[in-house]
Amino acid sequence: MTQTAGTEPAESDVLHRLSFLDRFLPVWIIAAMGAGLLLGSVVPGLQGVLEAVKVGQVSLPIALGLLLMMYPVLAKVRYDRLDTVTRDRRTMVLSLVLNWVFGPALMFALAWLMLPDLPEYRTGLIIVGLARCIAMVIIWNDLACGDREAAAVLVALNSVFQVLMFGVLGWFYLELLPGWLGLDTTSVSFSAWEIALSVVIFLGIPLAAGYASRRLGERARGRDWYENRFLPRIGPVALYGLLFTIVVLFALQGETITSRPLDVARIALPLLAYFTVMWAGSYALGRAAGLGYARTTTLAFTAAGNNFELAIAVAIGVFGVTSGQALAGVVGPLIEVPVLVGLVYVSLWLRRRWSAQPFKTAPSRRR
């Protein structure tokens, strides 16, 4: 599909441009939740079976599901084009500040303000805030006619930065900062090393595999084959891995979920506030900085989106598959997907509204 400058997709076409699997992602997630609840109620001893073989602190089936979630996304990144955006200092600085300073701080504040009496869920949300975008954000950015190469580069940089800094930031926001502020952390027990190890396993391994896939695939068969033949084949694997993980999580969390539905609703509220504030604030900041429509849109979506796959992996690896932290991570994509689809429509509306102003549109690019 070719998108030329000045060509605006009709808002009614946005969902139709998604693949069948991506278009109904919220439906699949809800179905996976229901299947997990049903499985947990009819299969006795399921938890013992799942934990019979472990990778670190994570059962092998769940570990495989988590790795499957991450690999296809990281295989899509064009690692040889980092310099196309790194030369744009405004975009780089704004993205780094929004993703690694403002985003985690905002989620920390919302979690403590809205969930002061639910420490497990609060911790899970803070972990979500630390897991910066590397997944579905590329799809939302494309639908909103953002800058595809900028999105790919920011995703790649976020991936590398998470390997290096996630454990440090986890220690800062979960232990050091609450202590400085005099907040009660006695009900939260974790190890910064365990967080770092989970990141290395569930992000470092698929990151290395994704990089190797692109280098070897392009060298052997060329970029056209890699992006138009190989990537479409492995793309659905990420969704299958996510749905499998959700089924297992909800099978083990069934009693908690059905007995405390209000808790799930309370987890959703700070997530809604977070996505809205991050996207709107980033959009306003990008426009004020004169980035142009395409890169402003990319800045907004990469700041608002979160790597819920990594958040789920870390929560399971550190706190356990039946923990409240893991449940908070699972609720994340259920809220993020419909919210960011809605923000795609908002972006296209803003694009039309500002088309007569000196505001750049997305350049021509092959889809």
Side-chain angles (χ1 to χ4, degrees), residues 155-196:
V155 162
L157 292 178
N158 278 339
S159 301
V160 174
F161 201 84
Q162 282 181 100
V163 173
L164 300 175
M165 293 300 298
F166 194 102
V168 175
L169 291 173
W171 167 74
F172 177 79
Y173 280 103
L174 294 175
E175 183 173 290
L176 187 61
L177 184 58
W180 284 350
L181 299 177
L183 301 172
D184 180 21
T185 60
T186 57
S187 56
V188 179
S189 176
F190 72 98
S191 164
W193 166 247
E194 290 177 344
I195 291 179

Side-chain angles (χ1 to χ4, degrees), residues 28-206:
W28 310 139
I29 291 175
I30 292 173
M33 292 176 175
L37 293 175
L38 180 62
L39 187 64
S41 65
V42 300
V43 180
L46 180 61
Q47 183 171 355
V49 173
L50 291 174
E51 296 192 353
V53 181
K54 291 187 175 183
V55 176
Q57 297 299 314
V58 183
S59 69
L60 181 59
I62 294 181
L64 292 175
L66 295 171
L67 291 172
L68 288 174
M69 283 194 294
M70 304 295 290
Y71 166 69
V73 175
L74 293 165
K76 294 179 181 179
V77 176
R78 290 187 174 182
Y79 296 95
D80 60 338
R81 296 193 176 181
L82 290 176
D83 63 336
T84 63
V85 177
T86 54
R87 289 194 299 264
D88 184 347
R89 295 184 179 273
R90 287 180 302 173
T91 300
M92 287 295 300
V93 170
L94 289 176
S95 179
L96 288 173
V97 170
L98 287 167
N99 274 289
W100 297 103
V101 178
F102 186 71
L106 175 62
M107 187 67 88
F108 174 87
L110 290 171
W112 274 97
L113 287 172
M114 297 187 178
L115 301 174
D117 56 329
L118 297 172
E120 289 191 355
Y121 302 149
R122 183 177 65 231
T123 299
L125 287 181
I126 292 173
I127 291 174
V128 170
L130 296 176
R132 309 314 301 165
C133 66
I134 69 166
M136 289 291 288
V137 67
I138 293 177
I139 294 176
W140 313 137
N141 177 74
D142 247 19
L143 290 174
C145 296
D147 187 321
R148 175 181 288 180
E149 295 307 322
V153 169
L154 294 179
V155 162
L157 292 178
N158 278 339
S159 301
V160 174
F161 201 84
Q162 282 181 100
V163 173
L164 300 175
M165 293 300 298
F166 194 102
V168 175
L169 291 173
W171 167 74
F172 177 79
Y173 280 103
L174 294 175
E175 183 173 290
L176 187 61
L177 184 58
W180 284 350
L181 299 177
L183 301 172
D184 180 21
T185 60
T186 57
S187 56
V188 179
S189 176
F190 72 98
S191 164
W193 166 247
E194 290 177 344
I195 291 179
L197 181 61
S198 293
V199 174
V200 169
I201 293 174
F202 296 110
L203 181 58
I205 291 176

Side-chain angles (χ1 to χ4, degrees), residues 7 46 105 120 130-131 164 172 216 246 253 257-258 301 349 354:
T7 302
L46 180 61
E120 289 191 355
L130 296 176
L164 300 175
F172 177 79
L216 297 176
I246 289 175
Q253 293 268 15
I257 295 167
T258 55
F301 278 100
W349 176 80
W354 293 335

